[in-house]
Amino acid sequence: MLIDSTLREGAQMFGVYFSDAQRRDILSGLIRAGVDEVEIGWAGQDGLEDLLRHGRKEDPSERTRLTVWSPLRMLDLARLAAMGVRRIQFGVPVSDAHIEHRLGMDRAGLLLRLQNILRRAAELEMAFVGVGLEDVSRADRDFALQVVRVVEECGGRRIRLSDTVGLLTPLETAELVRWFADRTDLAIGFHGHDDFGMATANAITALASGAESVDVSVLGIGERAGIAALEEVAGHLNFRRGAGYDLKQCVCLARMVAEAAGVPMVRNKAMTGEDVFACETGLHLQALAKDPSLFEPFAPEKIGANRKLGLGGKTGKTAVRQAAHRQGITVPSHGIENLTCGVRLLSQTLARPLFEEELRALAMTADSAASSSESCHVP
């Protein structure tokens, strides 16, 4: 199960300010993509009540569940209940550094506060209460387990294991998830940051190791290096596990969020980059012509992308001949080497692959390019 946090974690990215209209559009897109749950914001955030109404209007059946994040404060709980929030995810620091330096408390005080707030949430008849174990990757596990026991006793439904500064590797993530799964019947979620580029791998590993849900955001945006990317995790779950997320919608969301957040769309970024189905290497071009699955994990049409084949300095005679044939260009056998040489030289001069019209122009002058072949060995 995917919990998207673009509107909470993503909105905390440095310099990102979504307008109300953009927040509504993002939420609508997430609902259309079939995301299981959306963390729509945090307690005290402006416009939260309007966004909650918009989400319920877009999805009356509430197939996509809407959750709000909150710190452990009675006042925030009361305000969220008053505006009709029925699903709350509390953030609870469990490492001593966070408890002491951030909250100014000790372990006993934190447990008492958590107990009191969870009991109050039960009195308010909250439909769902989850508790995030913040900085659990640096916490004393025995104490973290004490927090879990309070959640169990007070009617909580889920714990979320948070790798707050992205320290874990996939192997460590698997061990952490299994450790808690062996000790509680609560649903387990995972929230991993990408400070060392591990977030997507850790999220997928968490799901394979017993976690029921993982947090993602569109393009992985969030604090610092962000978290796992929605489109990457959803793509993996679709193609490896038969999930049913709308990947075309995920890619559309990525473009929308990139523009709204001022985040560049990297051309070779997994799932969303414009060049992830581009090729100009000779051996790969030959293989793609025979069977695209030899060098593609799935068909580009699955995400609304197009295959882009180019000719350049890395291209051999066979690939040039195939490209000419696709365009209806007849090249005599004695001219293919000259044409290939011309393709390589022009590509190197322009420092890019060639367009179709440039190949046609070169084909017309292939015979006259014989002199060039002396400085261009074509295998």
Side-chain angles (χ1 to χ4, degrees):
M1 182 174 84
L2 297 184
I3 303 174
D4 186 88
S5 191
T6 306
L7 296 170
R8 199 273 299 176
E9 175 72 50
Q12 294 175 340
M13 182 177 180
F14 184 81
V16 170
Y17 294 90
F18 296 128
S19 68
D20 289 343
Q22 288 170 335
R23 291 167 68 197
R24 289 192 296 270
D25 288 344
I26 291 169
L27 179 54
S28 296
L30 291 169
I31 291 171
R32 288 194 296 271
V35 172
D36 306 276
E37 184 175 329
V38 177
E39 200 169 43
I40 63 171
W42 58 88
Q45 186 179 19
D46 292 337
L48 189 62
E49 190 170 3
D50 290 338
L51 190 60
L52 185 66
R53 282 196 295 266
H54 173 76
R56 289 172 176 168
K57 181 180 178 181
E58 286 281 288
D59 182 25
S61 65
E62 297 189 31
R63 187 176 65 85
T64 296
R65 297 176 288 278
L66 307 181
T67 306
V68 177
W69 183 92
S70 177
L72 281 178
R73 290 198 293 252
M74 285 288 190
L75 181 59
D76 288 321
L77 173 60
R79 286 173 175 169
L80 292 176
M83 71 171 61
V85 172
R86 308 310 302 158
R87 297 176 59 88
I88 293 181
Q89 176 73 39
F90 289 110
V92 180
V94 293
S95 68
D96 288 330
H98 275 254
I99 295 169
E100 296 170 12
H101 301 149
R102 178 176 150 200
L103 299 183
M105 303 179 68
D106 59 16
R107 291 181 176 186
L110 178 67
L111 291 173
L112 180 60
R113 178 186 287 189
L114 175 62
Q115 185 180 64
N116 290 337
I117 287 184
L118 291 181
R119 286 176 174 171
R120 180 56 181 155
E123 292 171 356
L124 293 169
E125 298 182 343
M126 286 289 167
F128 182 93
V129 174
V131 173
L133 309 185
E134 298 178 358
D135 204 29
V136 71
S137 49
R138 295 188 293 183
D140 175 73
R141 287 198 186 172
D142 289 336
F143 174 68
L145 192 58
Q146 290 182 52
V147 173
V148 173
R149 297 293 178 241
V150 172
V151 178
E152 293 171 337
E153 293 164 5
C154 296
R157 303 275 296 280
R158 178 173 68 208
I159 58 169
R160 179 161 67 181
L161 307 176
S162 297
D163 184 20
T164 300
V165 292
L167 297 178
L168 297 178
T169 66
L171 289 176
E172 291 168 333
T173 298
E175 190 275 330
L176 178 72
V177 171
R178 289 170 183 153
W179 192 90
F180 280 93
D182 288 342
R183 290 162 176 79
T184 183
D185 291 328
L186 293 173
I188 294 176
F190 179 78
H191 179 99
H193 278 260
D194 201 39
D195 296 81
F196 295 98
M198 300 284 185
T200 291
N202 283 342
I204 292 168
T205 300
L207 288 172
S209 304
E212 178 190 85
S213 62
V214 293
D215 290 7
V216 295
S217 68
V218 178
L219 291 175
I221 66 171
E223 288 278 5
R224 304 183 314 279
I227 62 174
L230 164 66
E231 59 280 1
E232 293 175 2
V233 181
H236 184 275
L237 294 180
N238 271 24
F239 294 117
R240 297 300 303 276
R241 300 196 190 181
Y245 299 106
D246 187 333
L247 298 183
K248 291 181 180 179
Q249 181 62 39
C250 289
V251 173
C252 288
L253 268 168
R255 297 191 183 107
M256 179 198 308
V257 170
E259 182 175 357
V263 176
M265 291 282 283
V266 180
R267 66 186 180 95
N268 66 339
K269 177 74 162 58
M271 302 298 293
T272 60
E274 64 178 20
D275 285 351
V276 293
F277 288 98
C279 180
E280 64 164 303
T281 304
L283 290 176
H284 288 192
L285 286 170
Q286 294 176 42
L288 287 171
K290 297 174 182 176
D291 181 357
S293 70
L294 293 172
F295 282 103
E296 293 176 351
F298 55 88
E301 295 80 12
K302 296 286 188 180
I303 59 171
N306 296 304
R307 188 174 293 112
K308 183 165 61 174
L309 306 180
L311 300 175
K314 311 163 191 140
T315 306
K317 290 183 288 187
T318 301
V320 171
R321 185 182 292 109
Q322 290 171 340
H325 178 73
R326 287 195 300 271
Q327 295 183 43
I329 300 171
T330 301
V331 182
S333 57
H334 66 273
I336 193 64
E337 183 161 349
N338 290 340
L339 179 56
T340 303
C341 183
V343 165
R344 289 183 172 185
L345 292 175
L346 181 57
S347 175
Q348 289 166 357
T349 300
L350 299 174
R352 61 164 174 78
L354 303 186
F355 299 115
E356 290 184 358
E357 57 269 23
E358 292 167 330
L359 176 62
R360 286 194 292 270
L362 284 173
M364 293 175 62
T365 59
D367 288 336
S368 63
S371 59
S372 299
S373 64
E374 296 176 1
S375 60
C376 177
H377 173 66
V378 181

